[in-house]
Amino acid sequence: MTEKFNWSEFGSAEGEHDPDFHFASTYSPILKYDHILKSNDSIGEGLSRFDGRKERNARAYACVAIFRDTMEYIEEFGIYIYSLLNADESFIDNITRTAPGEIKKVFTYLRDGDLNDLIGENIEFETFDALLKRYFGYEMFLQERFELSDIHNEKDLIIDSKEEAVEVSIESIKNKLQRISWFFLYFDDAYNAIKHGNRVSIRQPSTVEITNEHNGEKYEVDISEPVAEFLCKASGDRSQGKRYTFSAPADHLRKNSVRIAEECKSIYKPLYEVSHALRESAHIASKEEISIDTAFYGIRESEGKKDSYNYTNIKNPDTSMWIPEQIVPEEFSEPEPEFYNTAFAAFREQNGELVVETVGEDDPSYDYPIKIEGKASPDNDQMIGWNGEINFNFRVSQLPLWQYKELLDLKDNSPFTSLILKNSDEDISKKVRLDNEITTPQIERPEYWSLLQFACRVGLASDINLFYPVYLYEEAGQILEKYKSQNLTREVANNCLQDLAVATSDCIYTEVVAAVLDPEKRTGEGYKINQSSAINSTPGAYNFEFEEGSLQDIRIDDGYSEDFERQDPGQLDTIILMLVTESADEIYERLLEDGLISLNSFEEVIDPKEAVSCITINREHGIATHWYWFDRLNINIYSGIPPHAEENISQLYPK
């Protein structure tokens, strides 16, 4: 690198150094931080020369200057991280030629947790964790190559080994990097407003009117301190170039800036000291061990989490404003950082695109069978708007045949970066661009799919609702094969369905569902379900054998026992009521793992006072599809004894 400084020489008491080593040695990770502390400590100095409004403006702008210095400090930190990613290159080159876009890219990876993508094709480090271990001294700490500070004399350690100290510290560092990166990227537009034209003004203490967009209510918020208002130009991909304002109480912005600067310094300083010691060791080619004071994070009980951002962010399309949460009216209900909007929908494939048609109904229907939860969260910028994703909730066994076919067609084009959203209630349709890719449910194509494709046509020709058969009985397959070769008319379709109904009239398919319910919380539909899962589905019927009131055997037969009488759909037959000593969660986990056979492993008691949980099993009579009777076996698990079961228990277990 000496060709860049042909007329200058650099050295120290140890002798002459090349320029690269000189600047790496004189570099300071705390110079800017000390200036921030000095500015913060003297925030009120020199104001006596001003009166009234000028005094408030001068102090408020001093707060803005601390914010600017903090952003510069974080940017400097990002450049240093970037230099470590390219350690084989010149230190001078790394810290002078770095473009702002490269630093934002580094911080974006850190914020989003895409840490290994940050490493890229770096041949020295396979993972980001490996880089942190090297440059925070943990690699040598584990190898005991350096004389490191002793952490074992600490009284409040929450770790038991050196390996755990490193593991916990690495996770804590990544959390710090994520918070620092979020701060820099979130306020990047405001930072640019200061750098490019000083586009900031000071508003005096005032009353701000805010409107709750959900109910139209207006509220007045008294802000008792000057507010810094930045005229911003959006730099993010989503709204690039859009002009908007960002406002925040100046003192509030200052306090949070100092906090994040302190967090930045806490990892920046040891990162530099270790990395420079390694660089110095390589430079002087010394075989002497170098003493490094290695920093550890999150390993002490006294290290509590601190939330620096105690604010409410109020937005409209033109303005983003920070308001301290303690002055926001309790009645004001801003949207949560994430919210769900639940609806029932139909998914269709249309020219390779995903069409989601929703309807305002409380229950699924044949035309709208899939429950969706549209999750939305604010984008990582100051602009109003949301990232979106869709979570699906349905059981394949209850899916209409037409919808199963559409999902298979969509699977070939999934994932999607846009969708056509239709609201059938309001007859509205629009194409929506997604910030997140959406993958439609990945269902499987059954071996007998060609027969079901014909069944789809039969359903359309006869205008009859057909559901997807998770199991195709041989009798049903033979009927479909018989009619598949015929010219499909409405009459042929009706004859096919009649023959199907006769051939499968004795066929049964049973779904077994386990659920943990809260006996103290009841809704209009029953007890509140804490967790639920289908644990088994099978062709056939479950029959239970008892001896002296105790369960002896569970069989899967072609049909039910002789005393079974078919009831209307939804009717329940109680089969078992058990009082056991295991917890509801333990019962649920064992059922998920071992199935119904685990029922014989629970410790049953007679005295209700000794019971920890209650298990009830009931058979839910199902509907007659064209494939089978679709029944359901419900295993309900309660912590304690539910009120509805107390009478039955008193009869089964009299005092």
Side-chain angles (χ1 to χ4, degrees):
M1 295 306 304
T2 53
E3 68 275 6
K4 296 186 185 299
F5 294 92
N6 293 328
W7 300 92
S8 303
E9 292 183 355
F10 301 93
S12 65
E14 288 79 17
E16 183 178 345
H17 301 309
D18 65 70
D20 204 62
F21 183 76
H22 167 78
F23 286 107
S25 301
T26 57
Y27 187 89
S28 172
I30 61 171
L31 188 62
K32 188 72 172 181
Y33 175 73
D34 289 344
H35 170 72
I36 293 170
L37 292 186
K38 181 263 179 189
S39 299
N40 189 57
D41 291 343
S42 59
I43 192 71
E45 292 183 6
L47 297 178
S48 58
R49 70 178 67 187
F50 304 110
D51 294 324
R53 186 187 185 102
K54 283 189 175 182
E55 179 183 351
R56 290 193 296 270
N57 284 352
R59 190 185 189 285
Y61 193 82
C63 294
V64 172
I66 289 176
F67 163 72
R68 178 199 61 210
D69 290 339
T70 297
M71 293 293 286
E72 289 178 353
Y73 185 52
I74 297 174
E75 190 171 36
E76 171 196 322
F77 174 57
I79 292 173
Y80 192 78
I81 291 178
Y82 183 83
S83 74
L84 296 179
L85 294 172
N86 302 275
D88 291 339
E89 298 185 21
S90 161
F91 178 78
I92 293 176
D93 284 347
N94 278 335
I95 65 171
T96 58
R97 73 181 183 190
T98 307
E102 292 173 318
I103 300 307
K104 287 186 67 174
K105 187 176 180 180
V106 168
F107 282 131
T108 300
Y109 280 132
L110 293 173
R111 180 198 65 193
D112 297 343
D114 301 326
L115 303 179
N116 291 334
D117 291 339
L118 178 60
I119 292 295
E121 298 180 357
N122 191 305
I123 60 175
E124 186 173 4
F125 302 105
E126 293 184 0
T127 65
F128 190 71
D129 285 10
L131 181 144
L132 294 180
K133 286 182 180 179
R134 168 74 59 82
Y135 290 126
F136 276 89
Y138 302 142
E139 186 179 86
M140 302 306 174
F141 171 69
L142 294 174
Q143 296 174 0
E144 298 183 344
R145 288 182 54 183
F146 289 153
E147 298 175 6
L148 301 171
S149 60
D150 185 8
I151 66 170
H152 301 291
N153 292 328
E154 299 285 349
K155 296 181 180 180
D156 60 348
L157 290 179
I158 59 173
I159 47 91
D160 298 320
S161 65
K162 292 170 59 176
E163 290 74 17
E164 188 180 3
V166 171
E167 181 180 344
V168 171
S169 294
I170 290 293
E171 289 304 311
S172 298
I173 291 169
K174 290 191 289 190
N175 289 336
K176 287 175 178 286
L177 287 170
Q178 192 171 46
R179 290 191 292 270
I180 294 165
S181 301
W182 177 90
F183 189 96
F184 182 83
L185 294 171
Y186 193 75
F187 295 109
D188 183 50
D189 290 343
Y191 178 38
N192 285 331
I194 305 175
K195 289 195 299 181
H196 305 297
N198 195 33
R199 301 190 304 267
V200 60
S201 57
I202 305 299
R203 293 206 317 260
Q204 298 306 303
S206 60
T207 298
V208 177
E209 184 179 87
I210 57 178
T211 302
N212 186 323
E213 64 177 355
H214 299 294
N215 56 26
E217 293 291 331
K218 298 181 183 296
Y219 303 91
E220 291 186 347
V221 177
D222 292 323
I223 301 179
S224 59
E225 60 179 289
V227 171
E229 184 177 58
F230 302 83
L231 176 57
C232 301
K233 180 180 178 181
S235 58
D237 293 336
R238 196 163 57 96
S239 305
Q240 190 166 18
K242 179 179 174 62
R243 273 68 169 178
Y244 70 97
T245 64
F246 166 69
S247 303
D251 212 49
H252 193 70
L253 187 61
R254 171 186 65 86
K255 291 176 181 177
N256 282 285
S257 297
V258 172
R259 288 173 183 170
I260 202 70
E262 180 181 358
E263 187 153 32
C264 183
K265 187 269 298 185
S266 72
I267 56 177
Y268 187 10
K269 182 174 181 288
L271 177 67
Y272 166 78
E273 289 174 347
V274 173
S275 59
H276 178 63
L278 294 174
R279 184 185 294 110
E280 185 179 37
S281 176
H283 180 77
I284 63 178
S286 173
K287 295 183 179 180
E288 297 180 4
E289 292 186 344
I290 302 172
S291 178
I292 295 177
D293 188 10
T294 303
F296 294 88
Y297 305 88
I299 66 171
R300 300 171 182 86
E301 189 175 359
S302 56
E303 295 181 52
K305 293 183 178 180
K306 297 180 180 179
D307 182 11
S308 302
Y309 313 112
N310 52 338
Y311 69 93
T312 296
N313 192 201
I314 309 296
K315 296 180 181 181
N316 67 30
D318 301 319
T319 298
S320 173
M321 186 173 188
W322 262 20
I323 298 179
E325 60 184 15
Q326 64 268 25
I327 67 172
V328 176
E330 292 183 3
E331 301 84 2
F332 184 80
S333 178
E334 267 296 283
E336 295 294 327
E338 296 184 345
F339 72 86
Y340 282 85
N341 186 24
T342 302
F344 289 94
F347 283 58
R348 292 185 172 86
E349 186 273 338
Q350 179 178 300
N351 298 324
E353 290 194 284
L354 168 62
V355 179
V356 179
E357 184 176 353
T358 61
V359 65
E361 296 180 355
D362 296 329
D363 296 297
S365 64
Y366 187 79
D367 294 324
Y368 301 94
I370 298 179
K371 182 180 180 181
I372 63 171
E373 292 178 314
K375 180 180 181 183
S377 57
D379 270 311
N380 287 301
D381 56 30
Q382 296 281 10
M383 306 305 298
I384 193 169
W386 306 88
N387 282 310
E389 63 181 66
I390 296 178
N391 296 324
F392 318 100
N393 189 342
F394 65 90
R395 285 199 170 98
V396 172
S397 57
Q398 300 174 7
L399 211 55
L401 187 53
W402 73 262
Q403 181 64 92
Y404 198 93
K405 178 182 180 301
E406 292 288 343
L407 290 177
L408 280 178
D409 293 340
L410 288 167
K411 181 180 178 181
D412 297 333
N413 296 297
S414 189
F416 296 89
T417 56
S418 65
L419 61 83
I420 297 173
L421 190 61
K422 291 185 177 181
N423 186 320
S424 61
D425 293 328
E426 301 178 8
D427 195 24
I428 296 174
S429 177
K430 66 176 181 178
K431 188 170 182 176
V432 179
R433 184 181 68 83
L434 305 171
D435 289 340
N436 310 89
E437 290 183 340
I438 286 182
T439 300
T440 54
Q442 299 299 289
I443 59 176
E444 299 300 323
R445 191 183 306 272
E447 295 180 359
Y448 45 86
W449 180 241
S450 62
L451 294 177
L452 296 187
Q453 286 180 304
F454 171 70
C456 283
R457 295 170 52 211
V458 170
L460 291 173
S462 61
D463 198 23
I464 294 295
N465 295 347
L466 288 179
F467 289 84
Y468 172 74
V470 291
Y471 180 82
L472 190 68
Y473 275 93
E474 183 179 354
E475 296 88 338
Q478 291 172 350
I479 298 295
L480 292 176
E481 286 285 2
K482 171 185 173 182
Y483 282 91
K484 186 179 178 182
S485 60
Q486 299 184 29
N487 183 31
L488 186 60
T489 63
R490 188 178 187 86
E491 181 181 1
V492 170
N494 288 332
N495 290 336
C496 178
L497 293 176
Q498 289 174 8
D499 287 354
L500 274 175
V502 172
T504 61
S505 60
D506 293 328
C507 296
I508 299 170
Y509 191 87
T510 306
E511 181 180 56
V512 183
V513 177
V516 177
L517 297 92
D518 191 333
E520 298 181 358
K521 295 182 180 179
R522 301 201 70 165
T523 65
E525 299 177 354
Y527 295 102
K528 179 179 180 293
I529 299 175
N530 292 334
Q531 49 186 338
S532 174
S533 179
I535 61 173
N536 191 27
S537 297
T538 184
Y542 281 90
N543 288 306
F544 296 77
E545 286 190 7
F546 297 89
E547 185 176 322
E548 297 182 355
S550 297
L551 178 64
Q552 296 297 312
D553 189 25
I554 303 173
R555 300 191 320 274
I556 301 175
D557 300 326
D558 291 337
Y560 293 113
S561 56
E562 294 181 358
D563 59 347
F564 173 80
E565 292 184 10
R566 176 65 62 179
Q567 304 291 327
D568 292 336
Q571 292 294 310
L572 301 177
D573 293 337
T574 299
I575 300 173
I576 292 177
L577 191 153
M578 300 172 60
L579 302 179
V580 297
T581 60
E582 288 80 5
S583 70
D585 288 339
E586 182 180 353
I587 296 169
Y588 183 73
E589 292 300 326
R590 281 162 67 174
L591 282 168
L592 292 184
E593 184 175 348
D594 300 328
L596 283 174
I597 193 174
S598 62
L599 288 173
N600 289 318
S601 67
F602 301 128
E603 183 178 348
E604 192 170 0
V605 295
I606 297 178
D607 187 351
K609 294 180 180 180
E610 298 178 2
V612 175
S613 305
C614 175
I615 303 173
T616 64
I617 300 180
N618 58 59
R619 179 189 296 115
E620 182 176 342
H621 293 260
I623 61 173
T625 69
H626 289 83
W627 317 110
Y628 39 65
W629 288 94
F630 183 67
D631 293 339
R632 183 165 160 175
L633 201 65
N634 298 311
I635 306 177
N636 296 327
I637 311 160
Y638 304 87
S639 293
I641 301 174
H644 81 277
E646 291 178 352
E647 182 178 349
N648 292 332
I649 291 173
S650 64
Q651 295 174 1
L652 292 171
Y653 309 111
K655 295 182 180 179

